């Protein structure tokens, strides 16, 4: 199975993001694409948006055997452990992102950190392209090194910034969002201050990134559907930090981890990779 190279580790440590070419084998990519297609054909609650051009669904591994197999069947958890210097890595959730051909929907600049009730520094995502994409076709872009700024920017939903509207997404989200002091700016307009890194990806390539880094995807300006899956990984120092307005996909009533404690519930957050048993 694929290991993180010394160059990839150095890039992640410096930039907060690294492109890992060919992280997932072609045969697995094909199975994942087929699984996403099945979800699109038979929408489950949450996937209806796909029909409108931009859609996502998440925490699939908990209820779908095929998505659970993907979590455990790729080198991604091990790559996440190597990138974050963790002995073990748990899965928080998986998430599918589909953008139909020529769909204009964007994910504007955001960090994942302020959405999640998770603390710590060893928390990363692996975003795996299941179809080819360039930045114009909605591959991810990052503000290099922004994970180290010690800043948490107000989350926005797509391009929505209205507090009341955001409160309808889930309870208290808008209130939580406006409680963060820093407001997103168009980082791309200040090349003297911020370096933007955009990627062109092939199926099976992974972008591994810190949950504090600013990232975005543009609308899909290509004539082909773009499909990607993100896995959210919790490394050694991840803690449970619930606040009202945090993403309820996993809520306090779902698990046994105490507020502020290290995440150790093996049922809700299964260990996917451990160097101790490797
Ligand atoms: O795939 C996309 O367009 C957005 C993905 C994203 O923001 C993420 O994986 O955190």
């Amino acid at each position: 199975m694929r290991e993180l190279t010394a160059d990839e580790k150095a890039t992640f440590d410096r930039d907060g993001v690294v492109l890992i070419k060919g992280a997932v084998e072609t045969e697995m990519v094909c199975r994942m694409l087929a699984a996403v297609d099945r979800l699109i054909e038979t929408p489950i609650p949450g996937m209806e948006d796909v029909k409108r051009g931009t859609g996502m669904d998440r925490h699939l591994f908990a209820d779908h055997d095929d998505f659970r197999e993907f979590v455990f069947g790729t080198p991604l958890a091990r790559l996440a452990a190597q990138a974050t210097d963790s002995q073990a890595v748990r899965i928080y959730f998986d998430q599918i992102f589909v953008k139909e051909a020529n769909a204009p929907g964007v994910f504007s600049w955001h960090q994942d950190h302020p959405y999640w009730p998770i603390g710590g520094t060893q928390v990363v995502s692996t975003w795996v392209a299941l179809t080819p994409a360039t930045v114009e076709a909605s591959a991810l872009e990052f503000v290099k090194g922004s994970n180290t700024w010690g800043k948490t920017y107000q989350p926005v939903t797509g391009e929505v910034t209205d507090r009341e509207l955001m409160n309808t997404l889930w309870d208290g989200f808008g209130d939580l969002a406006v409680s963060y002091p820093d407001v997103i700016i168009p980082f791309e307009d200040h090349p003297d201050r911020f370096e933007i890194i955009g990627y062109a990806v092939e199926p099976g390539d992974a972008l591994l990134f810190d949950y504090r880094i600013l990232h975005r995807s543009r609308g899909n300006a290509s004539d082909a559907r773009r499909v990607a899956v993100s896995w959210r990984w919790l490394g050694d120092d991840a803690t449970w930090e619930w606040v009202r307005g945090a993403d309820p996909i996993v809520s306090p009533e779902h698990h046994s981890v105490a507020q502020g404690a290290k995440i150790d519930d093996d049922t809700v957050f299964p260990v996917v990779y451990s160097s101790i048993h490797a």
Side-chain angles (χ1 to χ4, degrees), residues 76-89 124 208 233 273:
L76 298 170
R78 190 173 52 190
L79 295 170
Q82 291 168 352
T84 59
D85 300 309
S86 291
Q87 286 204 322
V89 156
V124 291
L208 188 154
W233 303 111
Y273 172 78

Side-chain angles (χ1 to χ4, degrees), residues 97 99 107 110 112 127 138 140 209 215 217 226 230 232:
F97 293 95
K99 289 203 187 174
F107 286 97
H110 67 281
D112 293 331
W127 180 95
S138 204
L140 297 189
F209 56 95
H215 57 288
S217 65
R226 191 224 67 177
S230 274
R232 319 309 194 163

Side-chain angles (χ1 to χ4, degrees), residues 47-274:
M47 274 311 260
E48 300 90 345
D49 275 356
V50 172
K51 301 284 179 202
R52 293 198 287 272
T54 302
M56 58 172 155
D57 196 14
R58 63 211 183 111
H59 207 243
L60 293 155
F61 80 92
D63 299 318
H64 296 259
D65 289 345
D66 43 4
F67 283 91
R68 193 171 180 88
E69 205 186 310
F70 302 148
V71 169
F72 287 89
T74 72
L76 298 170
R78 190 173 52 190
L79 295 170
Q82 291 168 352
T84 59
D85 300 309
S86 291
Q87 286 204 322
V89 156
R90 295 171 183 274
I91 181 77
Y92 174 26
F93 64 90
D94 49 352
Q95 186 162 15
I96 295 172
F97 293 95
V98 178
K99 289 203 187 174
E100 292 295 355
N102 300 303
V106 302
F107 286 97
S108 47
W109 289 120
H110 67 281
Q111 300 157 296
D112 293 331
H113 165 61
Y115 287 86
W116 299 347
I118 304 291
T121 58
Q122 294 165 299
V123 180
V124 291
S125 289
T126 48
W127 180 95
V128 175
L130 301 186
T131 53
T134 57
V135 160
E136 292 71 30
S138 204
L140 297 189
E141 295 171 275
F142 296 83
V143 184
K144 183 174 171 175
S146 52
N147 54 307
T148 61
W149 297 349
K151 286 188 173 209
T152 304
Y153 288 88
Q154 293 186 10
V156 294
T157 310
E159 285 173 331
V160 178
T161 52
D162 178 76
R163 182 172 67 90
E164 289 309 326
L165 209 56
M166 288 203 287
N167 270 337
T168 61
L169 183 66
W170 60 67
D171 178 49
F173 173 57
D175 299 332
L176 176 66
V178 298
S179 75
Y180 290 108
D182 291 297
V183 175
I184 295 286
I185 61 164
F187 298 99
E188 66 281 14
D189 290 352
H190 303 276
D192 50 324
R193 290 166 58 201
F194 307 112
E195 190 177 336
I196 312 296
I197 329 177
Y199 294 90
V201 287
E202 295 297 326
D205 292 351
L207 286 164
L208 188 154
F209 56 95
D210 189 297
Y211 79 145
R212 296 163 297 180
I213 197 168
L214 286 154
H215 57 288
R216 72 169 180 183
S217 65
R218 305 182 193 184
N220 181 1
S222 82
D223 292 333
R225 175 188 280 170
R226 191 224 67 177
V227 184
V229 187
S230 274
W231 286 265
R232 319 309 194 163
W233 303 111
L234 306 175
D236 289 341
D237 74 351
T239 53
W240 180 254
E241 311 288 346
W242 181 257
V243 286
R244 176 173 174 263
D247 186 339
I249 192 74
V250 182
S251 299
E253 66 272 21
H254 297 137
H255 62 77
S256 59
V257 185
Q259 177 71 358
K262 277 202 23 191
I263 292 177
D264 61 356
D265 183 318
D266 293 340
T267 307
V268 177
F269 306 98
V271 174
V272 179
Y273 172 78
S274 171

